[in-house]
Amino acid sequence: MAEKEFEPLGPTILVHVELPQAKNQEDLEELHRLAESAGSNICDAIVCRRDGIEPRTYIGSGKVTEVADAVKAHDAKVVIFNSPLTPAQERNLEKEIGVRVMDRVALILVIFAMRARTYEGKLQVELAQLRYEQARLVRGWTHLERQKGGFGLRGGPGETQIELDRRALRERISAIKEDLEVVARRREQNRQERKKNAVPVVSFVGYTNAGKSTLFNRLTSSKVYAADQLFATLDPTLRNMVLPTVGKVVFADTVGFIRHLPHELVAAFRATLEETIQSDLLLHIIDIADPRIEDNIEAVNAVLEQIKADQVPTLLVFNKSDLKDDVAIGIVRDETNKPIRVNVSAKNGLGLDDLLAAVSELLTLDQCEFELKLGHQDGKLRAALYELKALEVKGYDEQGHELVSVKLKPSDAARIEKLSSGRLSACLINHQGTLPWVQEESFDFDDID
């Protein structure tokens, strides 16, 4: 795929519409930051209060004139609306204002296109952009209604330009989907290999610019790009770590979430979001110094629910805790002594040992413990348990059988039971009742709405 050069949006006018049924006043500040992330030089922000949406221009003729005057006064090149616009509204606004008009979804797509670095990321962004443009071909541009006659049909009816463009979009979307399926299969193979080796995955999630990448770099000694801007990183990054009581663990840094995450992006980033769903533990990174902390947490939880990852065990990580005098660095536990939150400072490296200790504790929380008696014929079973670092030798009996203590997750125990053809159950010592493991249910990403 050829590299694309993205120029900054330049001088920009923001338009924020307040409606009685929508409580989105806080989104104006977020729109500022989104626009700055796209390279905008914000000249003015126009706030419009309306009882309802004007079908033709969204904001009405009076406000359109005000926006057009602001564009001329500041020599702006772009007008960005903090609301979704229909293709007709976008066309009418561009005609009357005289410069490029985009809505919030288009702005986010521009930022994602600028940030994508990997082949998969670029494909996902292009897919989201094409789906967005596909909807805009419905009534988008009258200049696409020219007729094009076929060979031997001079002057006769032919395929209109808009039909040609629709077909080209459909074909490109189909080709990208096929390419993404190949990437998805490769990702699934890697995921199954990790499951086979019982390597737990810990995914970083959180509101964009909460400090996920900075914390990820601190913990894994990586060099993932981190900056004080929205969507500084887009492509997922996986790194291996070894925790003392767990063994090998995969940490995954994912794209940040925002309020009202466009459905086009959720659909396009299916493979990336699937990594979150399949995780053993989520680290929800939260900027404790952000005055909108509760809204940010709610926005992330809404996206996790949308992609059906809300059932994955989650540990809250309050970042930038050094900026709060009343917050102590370290682990916060519930009434059962289970870690529910860790206060850290990624920038200063404070509380990271506590965070790793809490992660280790939660990853081993549901382990079942039992004892086995292994004979000379159980080499395969013994090797599998050693590989998982789940086996501790206690001694030998009079017949020379090896007596061992085992700690395993139920899902890992079920897998080893299958691989060893039932030898795990056969080697149990003094166990009565239900076996201490169950087979995991599989998850189908296609169930997502």
Side-chain angles (χ1 to χ4, degrees), residues 49-320:
R49 294 176 177 85
R50 294 188 59 86
D51 294 330
I53 296 172
E54 202 278 318
R56 185 174 179 277
T57 61
Y58 197 90
I59 55 176
S61 58
K63 277 294 178 180
V64 170
T65 302
E66 183 180 341
V67 174
D69 291 342
V71 167
K72 292 178 182 178
H74 297 285
D75 194 24
K77 304 301 181 185
V78 181
V79 173
I80 302 176
F81 277 68
N82 196 21
S83 311
L85 299 174
T86 66
Q89 288 167 346
E90 186 177 303
R91 183 181 71 248
N92 293 334
L93 286 166
E94 287 187 346
K95 183 178 179 180
E96 297 193 25
I97 297 173
V99 297
R100 180 184 181 187
V101 174
M102 63 171 57
D103 60 11
R104 188 170 178 273
V105 176
L107 175 61
I108 294 171
L109 289 173
V110 167
I111 298 172
F112 271 49
M114 295 170 66
R115 300 284 189 266
R117 294 291 179 268
T118 65
Y119 176 68
E120 179 185 14
K122 292 174 182 178
L123 283 176
Q124 290 171 327
V125 171
E126 186 180 356
L127 177 60
Q129 289 176 321
L130 291 176
R131 282 173 167 165
Y132 179 80
E133 293 299 336
Q134 190 177 36
R136 272 153 166 70
L137 279 179
V138 177
R139 296 195 310 270
W141 305 294
T142 55
H143 73 275
L144 294 180
E145 294 175 354
R146 299 186 302 271
Q147 291 259 330
K148 182 178 181 180
F151 181 78
L153 296 174
R154 182 180 300 176
E159 196 171 24
T160 63
Q161 185 64 37
I162 192 171
E163 288 170 343
L164 288 171
D165 281 46
R166 283 174 180 162
R167 181 154 55 85
L169 276 176
R170 287 196 301 268
E171 290 174 354
R172 180 57 185 158
I173 288 173
S174 178
I176 292 176
K177 285 182 176 179
E178 291 179 4
D179 290 342
L180 281 173
E181 284 298 323
V182 174
V183 177
R185 285 196 296 269
R186 190 179 306 125
R187 185 184 290 275
E188 179 62 24
Q189 289 173 354
N190 294 335
R191 188 181 296 120
Q192 292 301 324
E193 187 67 23
R194 291 197 298 269
K195 283 186 176 181
K196 178 181 177 182
N197 296 322
V199 178
V201 176
V202 179
S203 289
F204 289 49
V205 299
Y207 204 79
T208 184
N209 204 41
K212 295 187 307 302
S213 296
T214 301
L215 181 59
F216 184 84
N217 289 339
R218 278 279 189 177
L219 292 175
T220 64
S221 300
S222 298
K223 295 182 180 180
V224 175
Y225 177 68
D228 185 18
Q229 56 186 202
L230 301 189
F231 301 121
T233 53
L234 173 62
D235 300 302
T237 306
L238 279 65
R239 293 289 184 270
N240 293 327
M241 283 194 68
V242 177
L243 300 182
T245 59
V246 182
K248 187 176 179 181
V249 177
V250 172
F251 279 8
D253 186 22
T254 61
V255 63
F257 298 153
I258 60 170
R259 294 173 186 83
H260 319 304
L261 188 68
H263 181 74
E264 293 91 341
L265 293 180
V266 175
F269 281 76
R270 163 178 173 158
T272 304
L273 295 174
E274 193 173 49
E275 201 71 59
T276 302
I277 296 170
Q278 301 288 355
S279 298
D280 297 272
L281 177 67
L282 299 182
L283 298 185
H284 183 170
I285 316 300
I286 301 163
D287 180 357
I288 195 174
D290 194 319
R292 302 169 299 169
I293 179 173
E294 295 296 335
D295 294 329
N296 293 348
I297 293 174
E298 184 179 339
V300 172
N301 289 338
V303 175
L304 291 176
E305 183 177 357
Q306 182 182 1
I307 65 175
K308 298 191 176 179
D310 54 325
Q311 299 302 314
V312 180
T314 302
L315 175 66
L316 301 181
V317 182
F318 278 33
N319 191 25
K320 308 180 186 179

Side-chain angles (χ1 to χ4, degrees), residues 389-426:
K389 297 180 175 61
L391 181 150
E392 181 182 353
V393 178
K394 295 294 186 179
Y396 297 85
D397 64 8
E398 296 177 354
Q399 286 75 36
H401 294 108
E402 189 176 32
L403 305 177
V404 300
S405 175
V406 176
K407 291 183 180 179
L408 275 178
K409 283 188 175 183
S411 57
D412 294 335
R415 181 177 56 80
I416 291 180
E417 169 80 346
K418 182 177 180 180
L419 289 175
S420 64
S421 302
R423 286 301 299 169
L424 188 61
S425 299

Side-chain angles (χ1 to χ4, degrees), residues 22 86 166 234 279 299-300 317 364 366 378 381 429 437 448-449:
T86 66
R166 283 174 180 162
L234 173 62
S279 298
V300 172
V317 182
T364 58
D366 62 344
D378 295 314
L381 174 59
I429 300 176
W437 50 78
I448 294 180
D449 298 328

Side-chain angles (χ1 to χ4, degrees), residues 22-36:
K23 58 167 190 175
N24 60 348
Q25 177 60 38
E26 72 278 7
D27 284 356
L28 179 56
E29 181 182 343
E30 182 174 86
L31 183 65
H32 269 271
R33 301 185 68 190
L34 285 169
E36 289 170 351

Side-chain angles (χ1 to χ4, degrees), residues 309-351:
D310 54 325
Q311 299 302 314
V312 180
T314 302
L315 175 66
L316 301 181
V317 182
F318 278 33
N319 191 25
K320 308 180 186 179
S321 296
D322 57 315
L323 301 179
K324 293 285 187 177
D325 295 333
D326 57 341
V327 175
I329 300 293
I331 301 175
V332 178
R333 299 178 180 272
D334 62 10
E335 61 276 4
T336 65
N337 204 36
K338 175 184 174 182
I340 57 173
R341 166 182 158 188
V342 184
N343 300 326
V344 305
S345 172
K347 183 177 180 180
N348 298 324
L350 302 176

